[in-house]
Amino acid sequence: MDIDGLIRRALEGERLAIARLISVVEGGGPDLGRVMRELYSHTGSAYTIGITGAPGAGKSSLTERLVARARADGHKIGVLAIDPSSPFSGGALLGDRVRMQSHATDPDVFIRSMATRGHLGGISLATPEAVRVLDASGKDIVFIETVGVGQAEVEITDACDSTVVVVNPGWGDAVQAAKAGLMEIADIFVVNKADRQGTRDTVRELRSMLELSNAPWKPEIVTSVAIKGEGIDELWTAVEKHRGYQEEKGLLARRRRRRIAREIKSIVVASYRQRVDAEAVDVLEELVEEVAARRLDPYAAAARIRESM
Ligand SMILES: Nc1nc2c(ncn2[C@@H]2O[C@H](COP(=O)(O)OP(=O)(O)O)[C@@H](O)[C@H]2O)c(=O)[nH]1
Ligand SMILES: [Mg+2]
């Protein structure tokens, strides 16, 4: 199937075409620029919700419930489960896929686990591109599940319209979330596995940490038992409230502009890296000799490469 055909069919919402375009995005191949050019004018209606937290916190279970909740309101849904730690495995998230199977026959739910195969900009560039494919294909809510450890992961979550941070009851979970840098990016906290002991302590702990912040939006704290579907309505309401707040105050537009700026810069950096890798090979070898022999310092060598490009 040629790219134009794929794009046309993806715009009509056809699953197979959507899946294949996301693969194009993951691969970061030569068609990427064209795909983005064709799709971009069809995007802008999807609202993205990041779900992040430690492995096993219940992100997938919550996402599955949220999908059902959002479907009840008639939303069309995309789900991206990001697993940057295993770049070559589609299989790592098999468990997730099995769990998400309750939506498998719903044509208005598209679920996909993602890894960066060859994408130069890494997962932090591939993810917004995949979101655009879903957006252009008519999905108006996109959930992005990612493990909240590591810089790339936090970056991805930070690039969503609303960010939900999942923690579990138990001494120190809130502290761990804070250490991972999740305190700053959380718009909503959910203490999942509230069927376990210590839920109230964790809520209290989160609340006292949040008191230190003087940001205008005070993140809501919700409790849930994802496996029983408890707390899902409250969580969804909290997300919608955050969305409403941002839209009302003009914050969503500002957040998206910041994100666009960051994305453009990442694309430039990625393309420079590609050029340096491709074009500087020969001259690099010579320069290494010069630098090793102390005839040139590394900064001067870098300047020569820049001039030669
Ligand atoms: N007791 C309890 N277990 C849960 C709850 N939510 C999820 N789990 C279980 O926790 C495990 C990890 O859940 P999963 O959704 O895969 O977490 P993820 O790694 O964050 O995506 C699974 O065995 C779930 O069945 C909950 O509210 N209570
Ligand atoms: Mg998961």
PDB file of all heavy atoms in Angstrom, residues 128 162 165 168 194 197 225 241:
ATOM      1  N   PRO A 128       4.378  12.295  20.105  1.00  0.00           N
ATOM      2  CA  PRO A 128       3.434  13.291  19.567  1.00  0.00           C
ATOM      3  C   PRO A 128       3.059  13.029  18.117  1.00  0.00           C
ATOM      4  O   PRO A 128       1.942  13.349  17.688  1.00  0.00           O
ATOM      5  CB  PRO A 128       4.186  14.626  19.707  1.00  0.00           C
ATOM      6  CG  PRO A 128       5.592  14.286  20.001  1.00  0.00           C
ATOM      7  CD  PRO A 128       5.594  12.936  20.630  1.00  0.00           C
ATOM      8  N   SER A 162      -3.440  16.834  29.973  1.00  0.00           N
ATOM      9  CA  SER A 162      -3.629  16.600  31.405  1.00  0.00           C
ATOM     10  C   SER A 162      -2.778  15.410  31.813  1.00  0.00           C
ATOM     11  O   SER A 162      -2.725  14.416  31.092  1.00  0.00           O
ATOM     12  CB  SER A 162      -5.094  16.261  31.742  1.00  0.00           C
ATOM     13  OG  SER A 162      -5.936  17.371  31.579  1.00  0.00           O
ATOM     14  N   VAL A 165      -0.967  11.232  37.635  1.00  0.00           N
ATOM     15  CA  VAL A 165       0.110  10.452  38.255  1.00  0.00           C
ATOM     16  C   VAL A 165      -0.507   9.416  39.189  1.00  0.00           C
ATOM     17  O   VAL A 165      -1.302   9.746  40.067  1.00  0.00           O
ATOM     18  CB  VAL A 165       1.097  11.366  39.012  1.00  0.00           C
ATOM     19  CG1 VAL A 165       2.083  10.539  39.835  1.00  0.00           C
ATOM     20  CG2 VAL A 165       1.849  12.256  38.030  1.00  0.00           C
ATOM     21  N   ASN A 168       0.508   4.283  44.728  1.00  0.00           N
ATOM     22  CA  ASN A 168      -0.167   3.263  45.524  1.00  0.00           C
ATOM     23  C   ASN A 168      -0.049   3.612  46.997  1.00  0.00           C
ATOM     24  O   ASN A 168       0.856   4.355  47.385  1.00  0.00           O
ATOM     25  CB  ASN A 168       0.448   1.885  45.267  1.00  0.00           C
ATOM     26  CG  ASN A 168       0.189   1.354  43.864  1.00  0.00           C
ATOM     27  OD1 ASN A 168       0.991   0.615  43.316  1.00  0.00           O
ATOM     28  ND2 ASN A 168      -0.934   1.736  43.261  1.00  0.00           N
ATOM     29  N   ALA A 194      -6.631   1.340  46.419  1.00  0.00           N
ATOM     30  CA  ALA A 194      -7.165   1.881  47.671  1.00  0.00           C
ATOM     31  C   ALA A 194      -7.852   0.794  48.495  1.00  0.00           C
ATOM     32  O   ALA A 194      -8.363   1.051  49.584  1.00  0.00           O
ATOM     33  CB  ALA A 194      -8.132   3.025  47.384  1.00  0.00           C
ATOM     34  N   GLN A 197      -4.084  -1.153  52.661  1.00  0.00           N
ATOM     35  CA  GLN A 197      -3.890  -0.265  53.815  1.00  0.00           C
ATOM     36  C   GLN A 197      -2.995   0.917  53.480  1.00  0.00           C
ATOM     37  O   GLN A 197      -2.118   0.817  52.633  1.00  0.00           O
ATOM     38  CB  GLN A 197      -3.242  -1.060  54.949  1.00  0.00           C
ATOM     39  CG  GLN A 197      -4.248  -1.955  55.632  1.00  0.00           C
ATOM     40  CD  GLN A 197      -3.746  -2.445  56.969  1.00  0.00           C
ATOM     41  OE1 GLN A 197      -2.553  -2.377  57.254  1.00  0.00           O
ATOM     42  NE2 GLN A 197      -4.646  -2.947  57.778  1.00  0.00           N
ATOM     43  N   VAL A 225      -9.929   1.932  43.073  1.00  0.00           N
ATOM     44  CA  VAL A 225      -9.628   0.504  43.033  1.00  0.00           C
ATOM     45  C   VAL A 225      -9.901   0.082  41.593  1.00  0.00           C
ATOM     46  O   VAL A 225     -11.025  -0.274  41.238  1.00  0.00           O
ATOM     47  CB  VAL A 225     -10.497  -0.299  44.022  1.00  0.00           C
ATOM     48  CG1 VAL A 225     -10.078  -1.766  44.024  1.00  0.00           C
ATOM     49  CG2 VAL A 225     -10.398   0.280  45.434  1.00  0.00           C
ATOM     50  N   LYS A 241     -12.455  18.368  34.862  1.00  0.00           N
ATOM     51  CA  LYS A 241     -12.378  19.636  35.572  1.00  0.00           C
ATOM     52  C   LYS A 241     -11.066  20.355  35.230  1.00  0.00           C
ATOM     53  O   LYS A 241     -11.060  21.558  34.984  1.00  0.00           O
ATOM     54  CB  LYS A 241     -12.462  19.367  37.080  1.00  0.00           C
ATOM     55  CG  LYS A 241     -12.700  20.590  37.908  1.00  0.00           C
ATOM     56  CD  LYS A 241     -13.076  20.202  39.326  1.00  0.00           C
ATOM     57  CE  LYS A 241     -12.590  21.240  40.313  1.00  0.00           C
ATOM     58  NZ  LYS A 241     -12.541  20.720  41.689  1.00  0.00           N
TER      59      LYS A 241
END
